[in-house]
Amino acid sequence: MTLSGRSLHPGQADGVVLALDEPLSFWGGVDARGVIVDAHHPQRGATVAGQVLAMQAGRGSSSSTAVLAELIRSGHAPAALLLAECDAILVIGALVAAEIYDTSLPIVQLTHDDLARLHTGSQAAVLAHTAPRPATVIAKIR
Amino acid sequence: MPGDDGLVLTAEEQSMLAGEQGPATAMCMRLIVGVARANGAGRLVPIESAHADGCLYHGVAGLEFTERLVSLGARVRVRTTLNVGSLDLLHPGLVRADPEVAENGRRLMDAHVALGCEAIWSCAPYQSGHRPKQGSHVAWAESNAIAFVNSVLGARTDRYGDFIDIAAGVAGRVPYSGLHLQRNRAAALVLDFSAVPAALLDDDVAWPAIGALLGELAGTRVAALTGLPADLNDGGVTEDRLKALGATAASAGGVALFHVVGVTPEAPTLDAVLGPGATTVPVTAHDLRRARERLSTAATTSLDAVSLGTPHFSLSEFAALAHELRAGPSFSPSVDVFVSTSRAVLAEAEARGYADAVRDAGGRILTDTCTYVTPVLRDGIRTVMTNSGKWAWYAPANLGIDTVLGSLAECVASARAGRVVRDERLWG
């Protein structure tokens, strides 16, 4: 299936979907290798590194910005972020990493319904153009 | 789906973005414009000041970003104060950071000073001389400072954090979105405290409990608080009480703006701030007791340390502490007592003798940083009492210790007794 969304940060990526059941704060929520360590998160122990990470919204501290930039720098960031609600905190992390490390982590806003159609384990290809041009997510349906 | 991008930039802003005012300004404008597009903002808005919290070290990326700005020749174009860093530059022996973090933390602090920021190193800039006027647009980062400047001073900031704060200081602009817009400052929720006994509201410990409850019920929504009398015995709804309330609400729920009806500047009446469809929730003393218990994870009355000043202790809090300490015994040698404050407030507290009163009782005073963001407490500390709801909220996970929330008077009594002493009679 092909979903169209709103580009929050440009980039292109392919990967396996990790669909989170609850929002995740990067600050305090993931370790330096991208493993979810938040004791309250239902998917504690899962790894976000290299995944197409789908979650309804970000959560928590504004320092998630620095944590995401650090994960991008060290190569442990998700391959792409798919959100139902715009999260400027995560967008800034991607913008800063683009400036200083020449990376391009795509961040795409989908409708809640479209986001819910993405399941953990399926393959997805994400293409986000520079806003206001659109973004597309092509996913295999299980 | 949000609408198409409709961002309109002024000629000046286009010039900044195009690099005509230097590469650093252009880089900062790319960040501001990127966020504006993500937020769906129609334009940018000039700011009068900024408060940056990116000077606290979280990793190499933040250091490299800031040093890149320095190397590109960046200077802030509006007044920009600095939040706490990772070190106490006045009392270096108190911080026990590992050498690499200390070195990088120092470089990060230096880089921010090189950008022209004011080195106040405080999470309570509003009590260190930086008080934006009501209605002005600012870019403040650090959750308690955001809640205070929006709610208590009535200036307008959205929730800013690392990188965008300093970018806003350099560009002098932020996206005109979020809490900069009047329509987003209306209350979606009303909490009614008229059933809570005045004797409880008269005690300082009620205010972080109110903040915890507000955070739990509001999440990131704007709330109006009614039934909080402005004529309490102990000075009414003081600035320090609103500081404690906002800091805890920002930690427990992400609250960036609250209105206390009849007290805070945008809320002379409930009607002035009431949004459409707002729901009202009555609050009881029992609700506040439950909120207090969530901030108290310790199961015993044994006590290893007391931490005051998160957010940074004010001069009036120092005065209250010195009053509590007057003519009483020193702290128990088994209890480490720390007060975190800014160097500006410390200078005033020295002049008035409050700082010596704390040291004479056996306490230590930390500046430029805070006991919950950098290693200060000695190994082996298990249970810490605090009058700060923010400290109590974060310390169990960040520091791996148990907490007890208490009033300033209870913290002093406990530090003297060497065990937790709390007055339970107020709570019903």
Side-chain angles (χ1 to χ4, degrees):
Chain A
M1 64 181 169
T2 301
L3 307 173
S4 61
R6 190 167 161 258
S7 183
L8 299 182
H9 190 263
Q12 184 172 4
D14 297 281
V16 175
V17 172
L18 173 60
L20 296 186
D21 299 332
E22 282 185 17
L24 175 71
S25 169
F26 278 70
W27 184 76
V30 293
D31 70 9
R33 294 177 303 112
V35 177
I36 297 176
V37 292
D38 177 350
H40 305 292
H41 200 281
Q43 281 141 306
R44 181 183 186 185
T47 299
V48 303
Q51 311 282 301
V52 173
L53 189 68
M55 60 180 176
Q56 296 291 323
R59 168 185 280 177
S61 169
S62 53
S63 294
S64 289
T65 303
V67 176
L68 179 59
E70 190 69 17
L71 289 175
I72 295 171
R73 184 189 74 84
S74 68
H76 294 95
L81 289 172
L82 308 178
L83 305 166
E85 293 168 25
C86 172
D87 185 342
I89 297 292
L90 297 175
V91 171
I92 297 159
L95 282 164
V96 165
E99 290 287 344
I100 57 175
Y101 303 122
D102 198 23
T103 60
S104 56
L105 173 76
I107 306 180
V108 176
Q109 184 178 11
L110 299 170
T111 63
H112 285 270
D113 286 348
D114 279 352
L115 194 78
R117 297 167 72 184
L118 295 164
H119 298 284
T120 296
S122 53
Q123 282 282 333
V126 180
L127 175 59
H129 296 287
T130 300
R133 294 170 63 205
T136 53
V137 177
I138 302 171
K140 286 187 180 156
I141 298 173
R142 270 195 312 197
Chain B
M1 225 23 13
D4 289 334
D5 176 69
L7 182 65
V8 177
L9 299 179
T10 65
E12 167 81 358
E13 289 159 358
Q14 289 174 24
S15 158
M16 292 160 72
L17 187 59
E20 292 165 9
Q21 302 186 29
T25 299
M27 176 169 142
C28 290
M29 278 297 281
R30 286 195 293 274
L31 300 182
I32 302 293
V33 165
V35 172
R37 290 213 164 101
N39 283 352
R43 66 176 175 93
L44 307 183
V45 63
I47 53 167
E48 295 186 12
S49 73
H51 178 69
D53 84 339
C55 48
L56 178 66
Y57 183 71
H58 286 294
V60 175
L63 178 60
E64 293 189 346
F65 168 71
T66 312
E67 291 189 339
R68 170 75 64 88
L69 282 177
V70 174
S71 71
L72 292 176
R75 296 287 293 179
V76 291
R77 71 175 67 201
V78 296
R79 181 182 188 188
T80 303
T81 47
L82 290 172
N83 206 59
V84 295
S86 302
L87 301 173
D88 181 342
L89 302 176
L90 298 184
H91 316 94
L94 289 178
V95 173
R96 304 155 64 245
D98 81 62
E100 185 190 337
V101 170
E103 167 63 19
N104 286 351
R106 177 60 176 260
R107 276 172 59 188
L108 187 63
M109 292 170 84
D110 288 346
H112 278 86
V113 173
L115 295 173
C117 302
E118 284 181 36
I120 69 165
W121 309 124
S122 182
C123 56
Y126 45 86
Q127 292 177 328
S128 293
H130 185 181
R131 294 173 74 91
K133 66 179 188 291
Q134 185 180 349
S136 60
H137 291 276
V138 300
W140 277 32
E142 209 293 310
S143 63
N144 103 83
I146 292 166
F148 192 96
V149 77
N150 266 325
S151 311
V152 183
L153 299 184
R156 298 183 172 206
T157 185
D158 207 22
R159 293 178 186 82
Y160 296 112
D162 291 5
F163 309 139
I164 198 73
D165 48 10
I166 194 67
V170 171
R173 303 285 193 288
V174 291
Y176 192 50
S177 54
L179 292 171
H180 292 283
L181 297 170
Q182 177 66 35
R183 67 168 183 270
N184 293 331
R185 299 178 71 85
L189 178 70
V190 179
L191 301 187
D192 179 8
F193 291 83
S194 50
V196 177
L200 177 52
L201 297 175
D202 255 344
D203 195 283
D204 286 342
V205 75
W207 297 83
I210 291 170
L213 188 68
L214 170 61
E216 179 190 341
L217 296 175
T220 58
R221 292 182 295 169
V222 178
L225 283 52
T226 61
L228 290 174
D231 59 349
L232 297 169
N233 294 335
D234 188 16
V237 183
T238 62
E239 185 170 303
D240 287 320
R241 288 174 166 182
L242 293 173
K243 171 172 93 166
L245 191 171
T248 314
S251 305
V255 169
L257 169 62
F258 62 89
H259 302 289
V260 181
V261 174
V263 176
T264 56
E266 291 174 46
T269 64
L270 179 58
D271 282 349
V273 292
L274 196 62
T279 52
T280 299
V281 177
V283 175
T284 65
H286 176 76
D287 295 327
L288 291 183
R289 172 185 273 275
R290 191 172 50 81
R292 182 188 72 151
E293 296 315 318
R294 289 184 70 200
L295 296 171
S296 303
T297 61
T300 71
T301 60
S302 70
L303 183 66
D304 302 311
V306 169
S307 175
L308 305 171
T310 308
H312 275 168
F313 230 41
S314 69
L315 193 62
S316 54
E317 287 172 313
F318 262 113
L321 177 57
H323 182 79
E324 288 288 336
L325 295 175
R326 198 175 50 185
S330 296
F331 301 135
S332 164
S334 67
V335 178
D336 287 346
V337 177
F338 287 101
V339 180
S340 299
T341 192
S342 68
R343 48 176 66 193
V345 168
L346 177 59
E348 295 281 326
E350 298 279 13
R352 287 167 168 76
Y354 304 152
D356 278 341
V358 173
R359 295 193 195 100
D360 290 348
R364 281 174 281 184
I365 300 171
L366 184 75
T367 59
D368 304 341
T369 186
C370 178
T371 51
Y372 103 98
V373 299
T374 202
V376 173
L377 303 178
R378 65 186 153 81
D379 295 336
I381 281 189
R382 291 282 166 268
T383 305
V384 182
M385 191 162 184
T386 180
N387 67 341
S388 162
K390 176 171 184 160
W391 205 95
W393 181 266
Y394 283 121
N398 282 10
L399 304 175
I401 51 131
D402 285 314
T403 57
V404 182
L405 184 75
S407 67
L408 186 65
E410 288 170 334
C411 287
V412 168
S414 301
R416 284 170 168 160
R419 61 181 171 77
V420 174
V421 178
R422 290 201 291 188
D423 182 352
E424 299 295 331
R425 290 170 300 178
L426 288 170
W427 295 88

